[in-house]
């Protein structure tokens, strides 16, 4: 049986930063990181925009970043949490830089970008591939630390809670076996749930595993109904995940226009293209309803070619690969599911309602985002809460023990046939249902019935088949879909878009 002091699940920015900080402070502790894919496959890897931080206090201030965050979140953020995150931002950013993350510079300072909902330029970025750069530098550091072990293609299935404390986990390995591990502390950093929707910017791994695992272990989950739709995903019907056209493009001066080539966002908000994502997505949905069309357009044709190529090289290359030229063509766009604002409820130390179980990054509900996250606050929240968790774990772990008794392998190895096709059918149905729930107003009672039926079918597969990663994922997705629909009774995230949305 694998024994480790700390088990981290997930290799995005939050999990890696936590592991690094803890491993450097406490060389006596063993840290194991499990990830269900290869280490570099994470939501972080896909982040284009950057990380928000107030570095220039002459023109900008913490108070303005705080106000922008609370306003974007519809006034539902926890004000103390917002202050903590915003005030820690510079320190955490300099730590990332110290670990080898390169952010773009200009005139001996950082090249701060503007994004929707921000009253000032305050986004540190690395071209349009910030996530990739952060992931590269953090993984390189993790590899250099001898007390961290990364186990790729290892999927945590369920947790063991004894005396109200999380002490162990079952996990699935590439040889189709289920094993058991004991630890003193568990940190979930498993990302979001974008793949519950038919159209999303999130990679295939974003199947809400952490939420489902924590829920089954008895942890409190909240605000799952607040799903953020990013307004500017490239419209390519049938593509999953959708390719993102970063918010920074609008900060850089790109316009959103309708089929008549007219800008329409100022009719909804005086900030126009620089309003927050909920407002821009809502206005695009309204435009769909009026025009009967499936997309609107991002217009970059007036922007300077040379500087565009320097700031957005990955977007330029992708557009060219599908024969779109941002300097001569309008880029078709549509809103798609992008970010889960809710999740596992944690306090300011990232501690969940179950002892020994911490959650950081997108899977955690810290209270920062309210109903709608401010652009480029997600990687920031991840590093601040990774830091908080590292401090709390280092201070408390000596009071815990690594017990190794009392374990029952409730899974064993289940013989049977793999039916990936059947699982894909269930997944597609689920994705279509949630898409219609959010965007076409499919009634909650109908959605609940469909989810119950899909669950029945998934459990029938579970009882008759070999356990597979796909089966674990669909069971997690169905669990979390049920939570979303239940919590949506408290009010869905705006907007409801039209049935014309991205057919
Ligand atoms: C983007 O670059 O538009 C996405 C970054 C974020 O989600 O904040």
């Amino acid at each position: 049986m694998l024994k480790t002091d700390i088990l981290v699940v997930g290799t995005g920015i939050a999990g890696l930063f936590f592991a690094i900080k803890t491993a450097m402070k406490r060389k006596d502790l063993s840290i194991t990181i499990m990830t269900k894919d290869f280490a570099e496959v994470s939501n972080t890897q896909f982040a284009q925009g950057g990380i928000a931080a107030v570095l220039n206090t002459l023109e900008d201030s913490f108070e303005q970043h705080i106000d922008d965050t609370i306003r974007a979140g519809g006034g539902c953020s926890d004000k103390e949490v917002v202050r903590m995150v915003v005030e820690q931002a510079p320190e955490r950013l300099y730590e990332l830089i110290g670990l080898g993350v390169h952010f773009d510079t200009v005139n001996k300072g950082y090249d701060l970008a503007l994004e929707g909902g921000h009253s000032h330029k305050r986004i540190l970025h690395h071209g349009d591939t910030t996530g990739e750069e952060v992931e590269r530098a953090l993984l390189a550091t993790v590899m250099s630390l001898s007390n961290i072990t990364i186990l790729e293609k290892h999927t945590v299935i369920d947790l063991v809670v004894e005396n109200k404390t999380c002490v162990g986990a079952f996990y699935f390995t590439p040889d189709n076996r289920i094993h058991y591990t004991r630890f003193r502390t568990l940190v979930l950093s498993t990302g979001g749930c974008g793949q519950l929707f038919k159209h999303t910017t999130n990679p295939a791994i974003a199947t809400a595993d952490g939420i489902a695992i924590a829920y089954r272990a008895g942890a409190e989950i909240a605000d799952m109904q607040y799903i953020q739709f990013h307004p500017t995903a490239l419209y390519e019907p049938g593509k999953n995940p959708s390719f993102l056209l970063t918010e920074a493009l609008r900060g850089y001066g790109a316009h959103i226009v309708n089929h008549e080539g007219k800008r329409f966002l100022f009719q909804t908000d005086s900030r126009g293209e620089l309003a927050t994502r909920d407002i821009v997505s809502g206005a695009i949905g309204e435009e769909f309803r009026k025009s009967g069309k499936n997309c609107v357009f991002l217009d970059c044709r007036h922007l300077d070619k040379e500087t565009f190529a320097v700031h957005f090289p990955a977007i330029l290359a992708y557009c060219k690969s599908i024969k779109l030229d941002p300097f001569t063509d309008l880029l078709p766009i549509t809103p798609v599911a992008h970010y889960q604002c809710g999740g596992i409820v944690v306090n300011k130390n990232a501690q969940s309602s179950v002892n020994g179980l911490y959650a950081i990054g997108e899977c955690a509900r810290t209270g920062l985002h309210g109903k709608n996250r401010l652009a480029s606050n997600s990687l920031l929240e991840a590093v601040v809460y990774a830091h908080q968790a590292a401090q709390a774990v280092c201070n408390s772990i000596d009071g815990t023990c690594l017990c190794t008794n009392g374990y029952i392998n409730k899974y064993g190895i289940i013989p049977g046939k793999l039916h990936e096709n059947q699982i894909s059918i269930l997944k597609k149905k689920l994705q279509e249902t949630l898409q219609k729930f959010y965007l076409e107003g499919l009634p909650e009672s109908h959605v609940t019935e469909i989810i119950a039926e899909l669950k029945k079918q998934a459990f029938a597969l579970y009882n008759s088949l070999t356990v597979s990663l796909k089966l674990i994922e669909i069971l997690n997705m169905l669990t979390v879909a049920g939570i979303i629909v239940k919590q949506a009774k408290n009010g869905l995230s705006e907007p409801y878009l039209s049935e014309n949305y991205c057919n």
Side-chain angles (χ1 to χ4, degrees):
M1 184 202 316
L2 171 71
K3 285 181 248 162
T4 182
D5 290 313
I6 301 168
L7 178 65
V8 179
V9 188
T11 50
I13 183 172
L16 296 180
F17 196 59
F18 166 84
I20 290 167
K21 294 207 74 157
T22 308
M24 284 179 165
K25 194 161 176 192
R26 290 287 303 263
K27 295 195 170 43
D28 57 313
L29 296 175
S30 58
I31 302 169
T32 302
I33 309 178
M34 283 191 191
T35 177
K36 67 178 180 175
D37 206 315
F38 293 111
E40 63 277 11
V41 181
S42 67
N43 264 355
T44 301
Q45 184 80 3
F46 282 69
Q48 293 181 357
I51 310 184
V54 175
L55 297 186
N56 172 0
T57 45
L58 286 179
E59 286 166 19
D60 196 0
S61 68
F62 289 150
E63 295 311 318
Q64 288 174 87
H65 189 182
I66 290 169
D67 285 350
D68 293 345
T69 300
I70 294 172
R71 186 173 175 201
C76 297
S77 306
D78 177 326
K79 294 188 177 59
E80 272 185 42
V81 165
V82 178
R83 178 166 294 282
M84 178 183 87
V85 172
V86 165
E87 290 185 352
Q88 271 196 32
E91 206 180 333
R92 301 288 82 81
L93 262 292
Y94 288 123
E95 281 174 357
L96 282 178
I97 292 161
L99 292 171
V101 177
H102 294 121
F103 293 108
D104 291 356
T105 53
V106 62
N107 300 333
K108 295 192 182 154
Y110 287 102
D111 178 27
L112 302 175
L114 184 63
E115 291 185 357
H118 287 275
S119 51
H120 283 276
K121 288 187 173 186
R122 60 168 79 102
I123 319 296
L124 284 98
H125 61 97
H126 179 93
D128 55 357
T129 51
T130 307
E132 217 178 289
E133 168 62 10
V134 169
E135 193 74 16
R136 177 202 63 73
L138 296 188
L139 269 176
T141 309
V142 161
M143 301 298 181
S144 71
L145 291 165
S146 59
N147 51 339
I148 304 180
T149 308
I150 296 192
L151 297 175
E152 297 179 317
K153 301 269 178 191
H154 281 53
T155 307
V156 172
I157 307 173
D158 254 328
L159 307 179
V160 174
V161 177
E162 289 168 3
N163 302 323
K164 298 191 177 153
T165 303
C166 183
V167 292
F170 293 97
Y171 62 98
F172 182 67
T173 48
D175 57 357
N176 291 339
R177 285 174 178 270
I178 292 170
H179 305 262
Y180 182 66
T181 175
R182 298 284 294 211
F183 43 73
R184 297 160 78 184
T185 296
L186 176 78
V187 180
L188 291 175
S189 53
T190 49
C193 71
Q195 283 293 328
L196 266 68
F197 295 82
K198 189 171 167 197
H199 302 290
T200 178
T201 56
N202 292 188
I205 51 156
T207 52
D209 305 312
I211 309 293
I213 292 166
Y215 175 74
R216 289 193 291 267
E220 190 188 342
I221 311 291
D223 290 349
M224 285 300 294
Q225 74 276 27
Y226 297 138
I227 303 293
Q228 179 174 79
F229 284 74
H230 196 298
T232 60
L234 195 61
Y235 177 63
E236 291 179 277
K239 189 161 188 303
N240 179 336
S242 302
F243 185 79
L244 182 66
L245 296 175
T246 176
E247 177 118 12
L249 280 165
R250 281 176 284 134
Y252 196 68
H255 298 155
I256 292 179
V257 299
N258 62 17
H259 279 257
E260 291 160 4
K262 291 196 179 123
R263 291 171 79 184
F264 54 90
L265 286 162
F266 287 98
Q267 290 159 23
T268 310
D269 193 292
S270 59
R271 293 169 293 179
E273 278 83 0
L274 289 176
T276 48
R277 290 177 187 168
D278 52 346
I279 292 169
V280 178
S281 291
I284 293 174
E286 191 51 37
E287 188 62 29
F288 288 173
R289 264 190 290 276
K290 280 196 246 162
S291 66
K293 307 283 187 195
N294 294 336
C295 66
V296 290
F297 301 94
L298 198 66
D299 188 354
C300 302
R301 295 173 302 177
H302 54 289
L303 301 176
D304 179 74
K305 283 186 188 173
E306 268 175 42
T307 49
F308 185 102
V310 172
H311 281 89
F312 307 107
I315 288 175
L316 196 55
Y318 185 80
C319 287
K320 293 236 154 121
S321 77
I322 55 164
K323 311 249 176 307
L324 272 178
D325 182 349
F327 304 123
T328 52
D329 300 322
L330 291 173
L331 307 178
I333 53 165
T334 187
V336 302
H338 179 65
Y339 190 83
Q340 161 196 300
C341 298
I344 304 160
V345 176
V346 294
N347 65 15
K348 284 208 250 172
N349 289 328
Q351 164 79 61
S352 77
S353 58
V354 174
N355 290 335
L357 169 51
Y358 293 76
I360 51 179
E362 190 172 350
C363 70
R365 186 268 185 205
T366 63
L368 178 69
H369 310 307
K371 287 183 176 182
N372 174 60
R373 172 173 67 76
L374 182 66
S376 287
N377 263 359
S378 58
L379 300 187
L380 172 61
E381 181 196 51
V383 285
V384 169
Y385 272 82
H387 166 83
Q388 293 296 108
Q391 280 203 323
V393 170
C394 289
N395 290 339
S396 65
I397 199 161
D398 293 330
T400 65
C401 69
L402 186 58
C403 319
T404 52
N405 52 358
Y407 129 72
I408 306 160
N409 188 347
K410 65 173 179 172
Y411 289 94
I413 301 161
I414 303 161
K417 281 190 286 168
L418 280 171
H419 274 299
E420 302 278 310
N421 261 356
Q422 279 170 269
I423 297 169
S424 298
I425 293 168
L426 298 183
K427 185 170 167 183
K428 209 164 158 227
K429 178 78 184 161
L430 173 67
Q431 290 170 329
E432 279 166 2
T433 304
L434 275 202
Q435 191 83 20
K436 284 188 179 160
F437 180 49
Y438 272 77
L439 307 179
E440 296 175 29
L442 191 67
E444 179 235 305
S445 56
H446 195 169
V447 179
T448 307
E449 265 171 41
I450 296 174
I451 291 173
E453 176 53 32
L454 294 176
K455 259 191 185 162
K456 214 162 88 189
Q457 293 179 27
F459 273 107
L461 294 178
Y462 176 75
N463 289 330
S464 64
L465 304 178
T466 300
V467 173
S468 71
L469 177 57
K470 295 271 172 266
L471 188 53
I472 294 165
E473 286 180 342
I474 188 70
L475 288 166
N476 286 341
M477 290 167 83
L478 285 164
T479 300
V480 175
I483 299 172
I484 290 178
V485 177
K486 214 163 160 190
Q487 299 193 341
K489 284 183 184 149
N490 307 328
L492 262 188
S493 52
E494 298 295 332
Y496 291 93
L497 299 180
S498 77
E499 63 269 26
N500 294 320
Y501 172 92
C502 212
N503 291 317

